[in-house]
Amino acid sequence: MVTQKQERFRLDLLKWADENLRDFPWREPDRSLYEVFIAEFFLTQTPAENVSTVYPEFLERFPSLEAIDEASEDELVDTIKPLGFYNMRSNALKRIAAENETLPDTTKELVKLTRVGRYVTNATLCFARDEPLPVLDRNVERVYSRVFSDDWPQSSTEQLQFAERLVPKDRARLYNLTLLDFGAAICTPQPSCDECFANEYCTYYQDS
Ligand code: SF4
């Protein structure tokens, strides 16, 4: 059950998407589960613009978990070095590839993979399969904690439940992608409240 304010925010956000949704190679239609997973795995600690520079070459050299399994760690590092954290990332990908012939496609299994947390799991399944899962990173937490600051819970479990209620079941992918972009472009740490569609009802703005 969503409140009137939550429903208004959802509709306004989806309208904002018409003009503002960003294009990235991993957002192209028909990307496979594996291709979306690779992008989300890199995006956890690296800006999208940087991931864009490495992503096409990575998929060309390593089009599957099998290809990662067969490659040497040096080959992996060579490709992902510009992203940073390359040892940690190559170790994790090698381990995932050694333990899985294909990428698991359930939240229960994905979340257990090495260095794959709730964010990567939900983002992968939502963006590749349109599953209505909450995609909660720091940007999205900031948006919700401002717009709904009266209701935003303290515990991470309750925050996830809060976010889950807001995901529209019929447009989960579009909604979550837009929320990420809105947090990156408008409701940033120094927010652009004057040009924000939510400034009439955002609690943070109204109280400031
Ligand atoms: S009004 Fe400001 S704080 Fe509120 S959602 Fe918009 S940008 Fe963020």
Side-chain angles (χ1 to χ4, degrees):
M1 183 73 185
V2 295
T3 65
Q4 272 188 342
K5 177 173 166 178
Q6 290 167 346
E7 181 59 22
R8 186 174 173 191
F9 175 77
R10 292 201 304 198
L11 292 173
D12 287 347
L13 185 77
L14 288 167
K15 228 182 280 167
W16 185 84
D18 291 344
E19 303 279 323
N20 298 287
L21 202 64
R22 297 179 295 177
D23 275 334
F24 290 113
W26 49 90
R27 291 185 178 184
E28 289 163 6
D30 303 326
R31 282 285 183 198
S32 69
L33 192 73
Y34 169 78
E35 290 168 338
V36 174
F37 168 79
I38 290 296
E40 295 305 330
F41 185 79
F42 292 151
L43 285 164
T44 49
Q45 285 162 303
T46 305
E49 288 70 19
N50 294 14
V51 175
S52 294
T53 63
V54 163
Y55 186 71
E57 187 194 340
F58 186 91
L59 290 185
E60 205 176 311
R61 290 182 74 173
F62 311 106
S64 61
L65 283 184
E66 193 183 354
I68 292 177
D69 192 33
E70 286 169 359
S72 70
E73 199 138 342
D74 284 350
E75 285 175 278
L76 274 179
V77 167
D78 186 45
T79 312
I80 64 177
K81 206 161 195 170
L83 299 179
F85 307 108
Y86 46 86
N87 282 328
M88 176 272 283
R89 282 170 160 158
S90 62
N91 285 340
L93 287 174
K94 286 293 286 175
R95 190 154 167 202
I96 291 168
E99 292 170 354
N100 300 272
E101 264 178 47
T102 55
L103 197 68
D105 64 356
T106 65
T107 50
K108 204 173 156 191
E109 292 170 297
L110 262 180
V111 81
K112 282 192 211 151
L113 301 182
T114 306
R115 293 198 176 269
V116 174
R118 179 59 59 184
Y119 171 83
V120 174
T121 296
N122 286 8
T124 300
L125 291 172
C126 180
F127 299 149
R129 299 272 168 88
D130 213 2
E131 290 193 22
L133 296 164
V135 174
L136 208 52
D137 71 352
R138 278 203 207 125
N139 284 351
V140 173
E141 283 173 21
R142 185 176 58 249
V143 172
Y144 281 152
S145 69
R146 285 173 172 169
V147 181
F148 306 108
S149 62
D150 289 341
D151 305 320
W152 183 240
Q154 294 295 312
S155 84
S156 52
T157 306
E158 286 176 303
Q159 288 175 358
L160 206 61
Q161 290 166 347
F162 183 102
E164 189 163 20
R165 280 196 297 278
L166 262 76
V167 178
K169 305 293 172 263
D170 56 344
R171 279 183 291 179
R173 180 178 187 274
L174 177 62
Y175 177 81
N176 280 323
L177 287 175
T178 310
L179 200 49
L180 291 173
D181 287 0
F182 177 69
I186 302 291
C187 196
T188 61
Q190 277 78 48
S192 304
C193 299
D194 289 342
E195 54 183 281
C196 175
F197 61 77
N199 61 19
E200 280 179 26
Y201 51 87
C202 168
T203 310
Y204 173 93
Y205 183 71
Q206 292 294 323
D207 290 350
S208 60

Coordinates of all heavy atoms in Angstrom, one line a residue, residues 26-77:
W26 N 25.0 -0.7 -21.1 CA 24.4 -1.8 -20.4 C 22.9 -1.6 -20.3 O 22.2 -2.5 -19.8 CB 25.0 -2.0 -19.0 CG 25.1 -0.8 -18.2 CD1 24.2 -0.2 -17.4 CD2 26.2 0.1 -18.2 NE1 24.6 0.9 -16.8 CE2 25.9 1.2 -17.3 CE3 27.5 0.2 -18.8 CZ2 26.7 2.2 -17.0 CZ3 28.3 1.2 -18.5 CH2 28.0 2.2 -17.7
R27 N 22.4 -0.5 -20.7 CA 20.9 -0.3 -20.6 C 20.2 -0.6 -22.0 O 19.0 -0.4 -22.1 CB 20.6 1.2 -20.2 CG 21.0 1.5 -18.8 CD 20.6 2.9 -18.4 NE 20.9 3.2 -17.0 CZ 20.6 4.3 -16.4 NH1 19.9 5.3 -17.1 NH2 20.9 4.5 -15.1
E28 N 21.0 -1.0 -23.0 CA 20.4 -1.3 -24.3 C 19.4 -2.5 -24.1 O 19.7 -3.3 -23.2 CB 21.5 -1.7 -25.3 CG 22.4 -0.6 -25.7 CD 23.7 -1.0 -26.3 OE1 23.9 -2.3 -26.5 OE2 24.5 -0.2 -26.6
P29 N 18.3 -2.5 -24.9 CA 17.4 -3.6 -24.7 C 18.0 -4.9 -25.1 O 19.0 -4.9 -25.8 CB 16.3 -3.2 -25.7 CG 16.8 -2.1 -26.5 CD 18.0 -1.5 -25.9
D30 N 17.5 -5.9 -24.5 CA 18.0 -7.3 -24.8 C 19.4 -7.6 -24.3 O 20.0 -8.6 -24.7 CB 17.9 -7.6 -26.3 CG 16.5 -7.4 -26.9 OD1 15.6 -7.7 -26.1 OD2 16.4 -6.9 -28.0
R31 N 19.9 -6.8 -23.4 CA 21.1 -7.2 -22.7 C 20.8 -8.5 -21.9 O 19.8 -8.6 -21.2 CB 21.6 -6.1 -21.8 CG 22.3 -5.0 -22.5 CD 23.7 -5.4 -22.9 NE 24.4 -4.3 -23.5 CZ 25.5 -4.5 -24.3 NH1 25.9 -5.7 -24.6 NH2 26.1 -3.4 -24.8
S32 N 21.8 -9.4 -21.9 CA 21.6 -10.7 -21.2 C 21.8 -10.5 -19.7 O 22.3 -9.4 -19.2 CB 22.6 -11.7 -21.6 OG 23.9 -11.4 -21.2
L33 N 21.4 -11.4 -18.9 CA 21.6 -11.4 -17.4 C 23.1 -11.2 -17.1 O 23.4 -10.3 -16.3 CB 21.1 -12.7 -16.8 CG 20.9 -12.7 -15.3 CD1 19.7 -11.9 -14.9 CD2 20.7 -14.1 -14.8
Y34 N 23.9 -11.9 -17.8 CA 25.3 -11.8 -17.6 C 25.9 -10.4 -17.9 O 26.6 -9.8 -17.1 CB 26.1 -12.9 -18.4 CG 27.6 -12.7 -18.5 CD1 28.4 -13.1 -17.4 CD2 28.2 -12.1 -19.6 CE1 29.7 -12.9 -17.5 CE2 29.6 -11.9 -19.6 CZ 30.3 -12.4 -18.6 OH 31.7 -12.2 -18.6
E35 N 25.4 -9.9 -19.0 CA 25.9 -8.5 -19.4 C 25.5 -7.5 -18.4 O 26.3 -6.5 -18.1 CB 25.4 -8.2 -20.8 CG 26.1 -9.1 -21.9 CD 25.4 -9.0 -23.2 OE1 24.2 -8.6 -23.3 OE2 26.0 -9.3 -24.3
V36 N 24.3 -7.6 -17.9 CA 23.8 -6.6 -17.0 C 24.5 -6.8 -15.6 O 25.0 -5.8 -15.0 CB 22.3 -6.7 -16.8 CG1 21.8 -5.8 -15.6 CG2 21.5 -6.3 -18.0
F37 N 24.7 -8.0 -15.3 CA 25.4 -8.3 -14.0 C 26.9 -7.7 -14.0 O 27.3 -7.1 -13.1 CB 25.5 -9.8 -13.8 CG 26.5 -10.3 -12.8 CD1 26.1 -10.2 -11.4 CD2 27.8 -10.7 -13.1 CE1 27.0 -10.5 -10.4 CE2 28.7 -11.1 -12.1 CZ 28.3 -11.0 -10.7
I38 N 27.6 -7.9 -15.1 CA 28.9 -7.4 -15.2 C 28.9 -5.8 -15.0 O 29.7 -5.3 -14.3 CB 29.6 -7.7 -16.6 CG1 29.9 -9.2 -16.7 CG2 30.9 -6.9 -16.8 CD1 30.9 -9.8 -15.7
A39 N 28.0 -5.2 -15.7 CA 27.9 -3.7 -15.5 C 27.6 -3.4 -14.0 O 28.3 -2.5 -13.4 CB 26.8 -3.1 -16.4
E40 N 26.7 -4.0 -13.4 CA 26.3 -3.6 -12.0 C 27.4 -4.0 -11.1 O 27.7 -3.3 -10.1 CB 25.0 -4.3 -11.6 CG 23.8 -3.9 -12.4 CD 23.6 -2.3 -12.4 OE1 23.9 -1.7 -11.4 OE2 23.1 -1.8 -13.4
F41 N 28.1 -5.1 -11.4 CA 29.3 -5.5 -10.5 C 30.3 -4.4 -10.5 O 30.9 -4.0 -9.5 CB 29.8 -6.8 -11.1 CG 30.9 -7.4 -10.2 CD1 30.6 -8.1 -9.1 CD2 32.3 -7.2 -10.6 CE1 31.7 -8.6 -8.3 CE2 33.3 -7.7 -9.8 CZ 33.0 -8.4 -8.7
F42 N 30.6 -3.8 -11.7 CA 31.6 -2.7 -11.8 C 31.0 -1.4 -11.2 O 31.8 -0.6 -10.7 CB 32.0 -2.5 -13.2 CG 32.8 -3.6 -13.8 CD1 32.8 -3.9 -15.1 CD2 33.6 -4.4 -13.0 CE1 33.5 -5.0 -15.7 CE2 34.4 -5.5 -13.5 CZ 34.3 -5.8 -14.8
L43 N 29.7 -1.2 -11.4 CA 29.2 0.1 -11.0 C 29.1 0.4 -9.5 O 28.9 1.5 -9.1 CB 27.8 0.3 -11.6 CG 27.7 0.6 -13.1 CD1 26.3 0.3 -13.7 CD2 28.1 2.0 -13.4
T44 N 29.3 -0.7 -8.7 CA 29.1 -0.5 -7.2 C 30.2 0.5 -6.7 O 29.9 1.2 -5.7 CB 29.3 -1.8 -6.5 OG1 30.4 -2.5 -6.9 CG2 28.0 -2.6 -6.6
Q45 N 31.4 0.6 -7.3 CA 32.4 1.5 -6.7 C 33.0 2.4 -7.8 O 34.0 3.0 -7.5 CB 33.5 0.6 -6.0 CG 33.0 0.1 -4.7 CD 33.9 -1.1 -4.2 OE1 34.0 -2.1 -5.0 NE2 34.4 -1.0 -3.1
T46 N 32.4 2.4 -8.9 CA 33.0 3.2 -10.0 C 31.9 4.0 -10.7 O 30.9 3.4 -11.0 CB 33.7 2.3 -11.0 OG1 34.6 1.5 -10.3 CG2 34.5 3.0 -12.1
P47 N 32.2 5.3 -11.1 CA 31.2 6.1 -11.8 C 30.9 5.5 -13.1 O 31.7 4.9 -13.8 CB 31.8 7.4 -11.9 CG 32.9 7.5 -10.9 CD 33.4 6.1 -10.7
A48 N 29.6 5.6 -13.6 CA 29.1 5.1 -14.8 C 30.0 5.5 -16.0 O 30.2 4.7 -16.9 CB 27.7 5.5 -15.0
E49 N 30.4 6.7 -16.0 CA 31.2 7.2 -17.2 C 32.5 6.4 -17.3 O 32.9 6.1 -18.4 CB 31.5 8.7 -17.0 CG 30.3 9.7 -17.2 CD 29.3 9.6 -16.0 OE1 29.6 9.1 -14.9 OE2 28.1 10.0 -16.3
N50 N 33.1 6.0 -16.2 CA 34.3 5.2 -16.2 C 34.0 3.8 -16.7 O 34.8 3.2 -17.5 CB 35.0 5.2 -14.9 CG 35.5 6.5 -14.4 OD1 35.2 7.5 -15.0 ND2 36.4 6.5 -13.4
V51 N 33.0 3.2 -16.2 CA 32.6 1.9 -16.5 C 32.3 1.8 -18.1 O 32.7 0.8 -18.7 CB 31.4 1.4 -15.7 CG1 30.9 0.0 -16.2 CG2 31.7 1.3 -14.2
S52 N 31.7 2.9 -18.6 CA 31.4 2.9 -20.0 C 32.7 2.7 -20.9 O 32.6 2.1 -22.0 CB 30.9 4.2 -20.5 OG 29.6 4.4 -19.9
T53 N 33.8 3.2 -20.4 CA 35.0 3.1 -21.2 C 35.6 1.7 -21.3 O 36.4 1.4 -22.2 CB 36.1 4.0 -20.7 OG1 36.5 3.6 -19.3 CG2 35.7 5.5 -20.6
V54 N 35.3 0.8 -20.3 CA 35.8 -0.5 -20.2 C 34.8 -1.6 -20.7 O 35.2 -2.7 -21.2 CB 36.3 -0.8 -18.8 CG1 36.5 -2.2 -18.5 CG2 37.6 0.1 -18.5
Y55 N 33.6 -1.3 -20.5 CA 32.5 -2.3 -20.6 C 32.5 -3.0 -22.0 O 32.5 -4.3 -22.0 CB 31.2 -1.6 -20.3 CG 30.0 -2.5 -20.3 CD1 29.8 -3.4 -19.2 CD2 29.0 -2.4 -21.3 CE1 28.7 -4.2 -19.2 CE2 27.9 -3.2 -21.2 CZ 27.7 -4.1 -20.2 OH 26.6 -4.9 -20.2
P56 N 32.5 -2.3 -23.1 CA 32.4 -3.0 -24.4 C 33.6 -4.0 -24.6 O 33.4 -5.1 -25.0 CB 32.4 -1.9 -25.4 CG 32.0 -0.7 -24.7 CD 32.5 -0.8 -23.3
E57 N 34.8 -3.5 -24.3 CA 36.0 -4.4 -24.4 C 35.9 -5.6 -23.5 O 36.3 -6.7 -23.9 CB 37.3 -3.5 -24.2 CG 38.5 -4.3 -24.5 CD 39.8 -3.7 -24.0 OE1 39.8 -2.5 -23.7 OE2 40.8 -4.5 -23.9
F58 N 35.5 -5.3 -22.3 CA 35.4 -6.5 -21.4 C 34.4 -7.6 -21.9 O 34.8 -8.7 -21.9 CB 34.8 -6.0 -20.0 CG 34.9 -7.1 -19.0 CD1 36.0 -7.3 -18.2 CD2 33.8 -8.0 -18.8 CE1 36.0 -8.3 -17.2 CE2 33.8 -9.0 -17.9 CZ 34.9 -9.2 -17.1
L59 N 33.3 -7.1 -22.4 CA 32.3 -8.1 -22.9 C 32.9 -8.8 -24.2 O 32.6 -10.0 -24.5 CB 31.0 -7.5 -23.3 CG 30.1 -7.1 -22.0 CD1 28.8 -6.6 -22.5 CD2 30.0 -8.2 -21.0
E60 N 33.6 -8.1 -25.0 CA 34.2 -8.7 -26.2 C 35.2 -9.8 -25.8 O 35.3 -10.9 -26.4 CB 34.9 -7.6 -27.0 CG 35.0 -8.0 -28.5 CD 35.5 -6.8 -29.3 OE1 35.0 -5.7 -29.1 OE2 36.5 -7.1 -30.0
R61 N 36.0 -9.5 -24.8 CA 37.1 -10.4 -24.4 C 36.5 -11.5 -23.5 O 37.0 -12.7 -23.5 CB 38.2 -9.7 -23.6 CG 39.0 -8.8 -24.5 CD 40.2 -8.2 -23.8 NE 41.3 -9.1 -23.5 CZ 42.4 -8.6 -22.9 NH1 42.6 -7.4 -22.7 NH2 43.4 -9.5 -22.7
F62 N 35.5 -11.2 -22.7 CA 34.9 -12.2 -21.8 C 33.4 -12.2 -21.9 O 32.7 -11.7 -21.1 CB 35.3 -11.8 -20.3 CG 36.8 -11.6 -20.2 CD1 37.3 -10.3 -20.0 CD2 37.7 -12.6 -20.2 CE1 38.6 -10.0 -19.9 CE2 39.1 -12.3 -20.1 CZ 39.5 -11.0 -19.9
P63 N 32.9 -12.9 -23.0 CA 31.5 -12.8 -23.2 C 30.6 -13.8 -22.3 O 29.4 -13.8 -22.4 CB 31.4 -13.3 -24.7 CG 32.6 -14.1 -24.9 CD 33.7 -13.6 -24.0
S64 N 31.3 -14.5 -21.4 CA 30.6 -15.4 -20.6 C 31.4 -15.8 -19.3 O 32.6 -15.5 -19.3 CB 30.3 -16.8 -21.3 OG 31.6 -17.3 -21.7
L65 N 30.8 -16.4 -18.3 CA 31.5 -16.8 -17.2 C 32.6 -17.8 -17.6 O 33.7 -17.9 -17.0 CB 30.6 -17.4 -16.1 CG 29.8 -16.5 -15.3 CD1 29.0 -17.2 -14.2 CD2 30.6 -15.4 -14.6
E66 N 32.3 -18.6 -18.6 CA 33.2 -19.7 -19.0 C 34.5 -19.0 -19.6 O 35.6 -19.4 -19.3 CB 32.5 -20.5 -20.2 CG 33.3 -21.7 -20.5 CD 32.6 -22.5 -21.7 OE1 31.5 -22.1 -22.1 OE2 33.3 -23.4 -22.1
A67 N 34.3 -17.9 -20.3 CA 35.5 -17.2 -20.8 C 36.3 -16.6 -19.7 O 37.6 -16.6 -19.7 CB 35.0 -16.1 -21.8
I68 N 35.7 -16.1 -18.6 CA 36.4 -15.6 -17.5 C 37.2 -16.8 -16.8 O 38.3 -16.6 -16.4 CB 35.5 -15.0 -16.5 CG1 34.9 -13.7 -17.1 CG2 36.2 -14.7 -15.1 CD1 33.9 -13.0 -16.2
D69 N 36.5 -17.9 -16.7 CA 37.1 -19.1 -16.1 C 38.4 -19.5 -16.8 O 39.4 -19.9 -16.2 CB 36.1 -20.2 -16.0 CG 36.6 -21.3 -15.1 OD1 37.3 -21.0 -14.1 OD2 36.3 -22.5 -15.4
E70 N 38.3 -19.4 -18.1 CA 39.5 -19.9 -19.0 C 40.6 -18.8 -19.0 O 41.7 -19.2 -19.4 CB 39.0 -20.2 -20.4 CG 38.2 -21.5 -20.4 CD 37.5 -21.7 -21.8 OE1 37.6 -20.8 -22.6 OE2 36.8 -22.7 -21.9
A71 N 40.3 -17.6 -18.7 CA 41.3 -16.5 -18.9 C 42.2 -16.6 -17.6 O 41.9 -17.1 -16.6 CB 40.6 -15.2 -18.9
S72 N 43.4 -16.0 -17.8 CA 44.3 -15.8 -16.7 C 43.9 -14.6 -15.9 O 43.2 -13.7 -16.4 CB 45.8 -15.7 -17.1 OG 45.9 -14.4 -17.8
E73 N 44.3 -14.5 -14.6 CA 44.0 -13.4 -13.8 C 44.6 -12.1 -14.4 O 44.0 -11.0 -14.4 CB 44.4 -13.6 -12.4 CG 43.7 -12.7 -11.5 CD 43.3 -13.3 -10.2 OE1 43.2 -14.6 -10.1 OE2 43.0 -12.6 -9.2
D74 N 45.8 -12.3 -15.0 CA 46.5 -11.1 -15.7 C 45.7 -10.5 -16.8 O 45.6 -9.3 -17.0 CB 47.9 -11.5 -16.2 CG 48.9 -11.7 -15.1 OD1 48.5 -11.3 -13.9 OD2 50.0 -12.2 -15.3
E75 N 45.0 -11.4 -17.6 CA 44.2 -11.0 -18.7 C 43.0 -10.1 -18.2 O 42.7 -9.1 -18.7 CB 43.7 -12.1 -19.5 CG 44.7 -12.8 -20.4 CD 44.1 -14.0 -21.1 OE1 44.1 -15.1 -20.4 OE2 43.7 -13.9 -22.2
L76 N 42.4 -10.6 -17.1 CA 41.3 -9.9 -16.5 C 41.8 -8.5 -16.0 O 41.2 -7.5 -16.3 CB 40.7 -10.7 -15.3 CG 39.7 -11.7 -15.6 CD1 39.3 -12.4 -14.3 CD2 38.5 -11.1 -16.2
V77 N 42.9 -8.5 -15.2 CA 43.4 -7.3 -14.7 C 43.7 -6.3 -15.8 O 43.4 -5.1 -15.7 CB 44.6 -7.6 -13.8 CG1 45.4 -6.3 -13.5 CG2 44.2 -8.3 -12.5

